[in-house]
């Protein structure tokens, strides 16, 4: 199993197509119109996003946007056998929204089906022929590292069991993250071959940033997508030149980094990382590499969906656990500005 594409429902697909092209260097690859919906497709290497907006109030996109702000409506998984996957899902209690259909696109035929997940989120199951996606040297984005789902307090265990039963995902790391102001629980779910990583968060305090997301999103939903890049310092420098808004990191963070044992960066590289306000994590007494990460501000105007950019050196594992406190305190400072955290 792997992620075939992610489908965003937005107010204006053409504006958001241009946003991905202009800010993140994606390529526009298709425009598809039905009588009630406009869909634009953008791509960077193996990463494909669909962006749909309503042309009429009867559009499914309009229905979604009446219930939720713009964001991720569907994550499509490529599976070896759609009929088998949907039958397994239905037997294990999934709600089938669309039975297996054949889609004709250009000279190809694809089988697909759709099931309900959490909140307004759905999963399309799609069988597509193997494709080769060479990554051109100029492409800043090389893949999807993970996608994060936020759910209501008390739902985490149910969601974990659901993904285990429906897709055979297995739990990996789990965390409780706590600052002076708020807390959350997180459980990472991973597909059998590791092609899909899905951390699931629930709030562990009333004023948690996860609860703020749930309030503004009006239910469970995708909080962020982590996009892989081969050279994060270079990519972020370009994103900043393009005008992308990124979460600020205080320079005191880098002074604290220098005091952490085993800092695996040269002084020159640390200076470049600090200049781009990138977070750094590594496992002390381990040769599992270095993880670099940075986050955008919420892109749709409300404190809901945002992007992460990530570089894993020497097959670094984890999700930046050493950065969680610094990250969450940075997010909390934004919550304080919005007046949602005292």
């Amino acid at each position: 199993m792997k992620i075939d594409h992610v489908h965003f429902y937005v107010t204006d697909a053409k504006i958001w197509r241009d946003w991905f092209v202009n800010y993140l260097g994606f390529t526009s690859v298709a425009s598809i119109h039905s009588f009630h919906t406009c869909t634009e497709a953008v791509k960077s290497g193996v990463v494909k996003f669909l962006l749909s907006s309503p042309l009429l109030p009867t559009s499914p996109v309009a229905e979604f946007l009446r219930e939720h702000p713009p964001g991720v409506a569907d994550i499509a998984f490529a599976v070896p056998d759609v009929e088998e996957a949907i039958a397994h899902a239905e037997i294990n209690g999934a709600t089938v929204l669309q039975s297996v259909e054949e889609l004709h696109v250009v000279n190809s035929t694809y089988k697909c089906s759709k099931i309900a997940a959490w909140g307004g989120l759905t999963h399309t199951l799609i069988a597509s022929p193997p494709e080769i996606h060479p990554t051109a040297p100029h492409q800043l984005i090389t893949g999807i590292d993970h996608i994060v789902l936020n759910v209501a307090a008390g739902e985490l265990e149910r969601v974990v069991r659901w993904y285990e039963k429906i897709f055979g995902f297995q739990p990996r790391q789990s965390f409780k993250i706590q600052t002076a102001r708020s807390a959350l629980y997180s459980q990472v779910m991973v597909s059998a071959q590791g092609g899909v990583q899905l951390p699931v968060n629930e709030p562990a305090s009333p004023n948690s940033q996860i609860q703020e997301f749930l309030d503004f999103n009006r239910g469970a939903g995708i909080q962020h997508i982590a996009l892989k890049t081969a050279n994060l310092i270079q990519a972020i420098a370009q994103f900043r030149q393009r005008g992308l808004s990124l979460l600020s990191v205080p320079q005191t963070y880098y002074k604290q980094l220098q005091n952490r044992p085993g800092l695996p960066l040269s002084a020159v590289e640390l200076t470049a990382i600090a200049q781009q306000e990138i977070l750094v994590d590594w496992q002390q007494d381990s040769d599992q590499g270095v993880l670099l990460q940075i986050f955008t501000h919420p892109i749709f105007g409300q404190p809901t969906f945002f992007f992460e950019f990530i570089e894993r050196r020497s097959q670094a594992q984890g999700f930046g656990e050493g950065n969680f406190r610094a990250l969450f305190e940075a997010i909390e400072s934004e919550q304080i500005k919005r007046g949602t955290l005292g």
Side-chain angles (χ1 to χ4, degrees):
M1 174 183 282
K2 64 179 182 179
I3 296 169
D4 183 83
H5 65 267
V6 177
H7 200 157
F8 291 83
Y9 283 2
V10 296
T11 52
D12 190 319
K14 288 183 170 59
I15 286 177
W16 284 100
R17 171 201 63 195
D18 294 344
W19 187 91
F20 279 95
V21 170
N22 294 332
Y23 285 101
L24 301 187
F26 277 65
T27 301
S28 174
V29 294
S31 295
I32 307 158
H33 290 75
S34 70
F35 72 94
H36 56 47
T37 302
C38 168
T39 298
E40 299 286 336
V42 295
K43 194 172 184 181
S44 179
V46 298
V47 180
K48 183 166 71 175
F49 293 149
L50 300 183
L51 313 161
S52 289
S53 58
L55 299 175
L56 293 172
T58 52
S59 167
V61 181
E63 183 179 341
F64 178 92
L65 293 175
R66 283 191 287 271
E67 298 292 330
H68 308 282
V72 173
D74 184 87
I75 299 170
F77 295 131
V79 296
D81 188 320
V82 173
E83 285 95 345
E84 181 181 315
I86 201 68
H88 175 83
E90 191 167 18
I91 288 171
N92 283 280
T95 300
V96 177
L97 301 175
Q98 175 191 306
S99 56
V100 179
E101 296 180 355
E102 288 193 346
L103 294 180
H104 302 281
V105 181
V106 192
N107 297 319
S108 301
T109 300
Y110 304 88
K111 288 184 177 180
C112 68
S113 185
K114 184 182 287 188
I115 62 174
W118 296 89
L121 181 66
T122 61
H123 289 305
T124 294
L125 306 180
I126 185 167
S128 56
E131 294 183 60
I132 298 173
H133 301 275
T135 300
H138 67 276
Q139 285 178 332
L140 299 177
I141 306 301
T142 60
I144 292 177
D145 188 87
H146 60 274
I147 298 179
V148 176
L149 170 64
N150 284 356
V151 300
E155 284 196 343
L156 180 60
E157 189 173 334
R158 285 178 55 219
V159 175
V160 166
R161 300 287 87 80
W162 190 85
Y163 278 97
E164 282 182 321
K165 289 194 302 180
I166 303 302
F167 295 121
F169 285 15
Q170 293 299 311
R172 194 179 282 175
Q173 301 102 313
S174 61
F175 316 102
K176 180 177 181 182
I177 304 148
Q178 188 160 3
T179 68
R181 288 185 166 90
S182 65
L184 65 85
Y185 296 114
S186 184
Q187 174 66 64
V188 180
M189 303 299 292
V190 182
S191 62
Q193 283 76 41
V196 181
Q197 297 188 103
L198 182 77
V200 184
N201 298 333
E202 73 171 6
S205 65
N207 54 0
S208 165
Q209 58 171 277
I210 307 305
Q211 187 59 52
E212 183 189 43
F213 171 94
L214 295 167
D215 292 343
F216 278 91
N217 195 61
R218 300 192 289 280
I222 298 302
Q223 180 207 46
H224 76 267
I225 296 175
L227 298 172
K228 292 189 286 190
T229 182
N231 187 323
L232 191 59
I233 298 172
Q234 183 183 82
I236 295 306
Q238 290 195 40
F239 291 152
R240 289 190 187 280
Q241 285 182 343
R242 292 167 180 257
L244 184 65
S245 179
L246 295 152
L247 199 64
S248 294
V249 176
Q251 288 301 303
T252 51
Y253 167 80
Y254 299 98
K255 294 178 182 177
Q256 293 168 356
L257 269 190
Q258 291 175 307
N259 295 326
R260 266 182 74 183
L263 177 66
L265 301 169
S266 68
V268 171
E269 192 165 35
L270 183 59
T271 298
I273 284 170
Q275 184 177 11
Q276 297 304 331
E277 298 187 19
I278 292 169
L279 299 168
V280 185
D281 196 27
W282 69 95
Q283 296 296 318
Q284 190 178 344
D285 303 323
S286 171
D287 58 358
Q288 290 188 348
V290 180
L291 184 147
L292 305 178
Q293 60 189 156
I294 192 170
F295 301 82
T296 69
H297 287 281
I299 69 171
F300 293 118
Q302 297 190 51
T304 51
F305 179 84
F306 58 89
F307 279 109
E308 173 183 356
F309 303 101
I310 191 166
E311 177 188 344
R312 296 183 184 273
R313 297 182 179 179
S314 303
Q315 299 181 324
Q317 302 298 306
F319 297 88
E321 295 89 312
N323 290 324
F324 283 165
R325 178 170 291 275
L327 167 64
F328 286 33
E329 288 175 350
I331 293 175
E332 284 173 358
S333 72
E334 297 297 320
Q335 285 183 269
I336 291 168
K337 290 177 188 176
R338 290 191 290 268
T340 57
L341 184 63

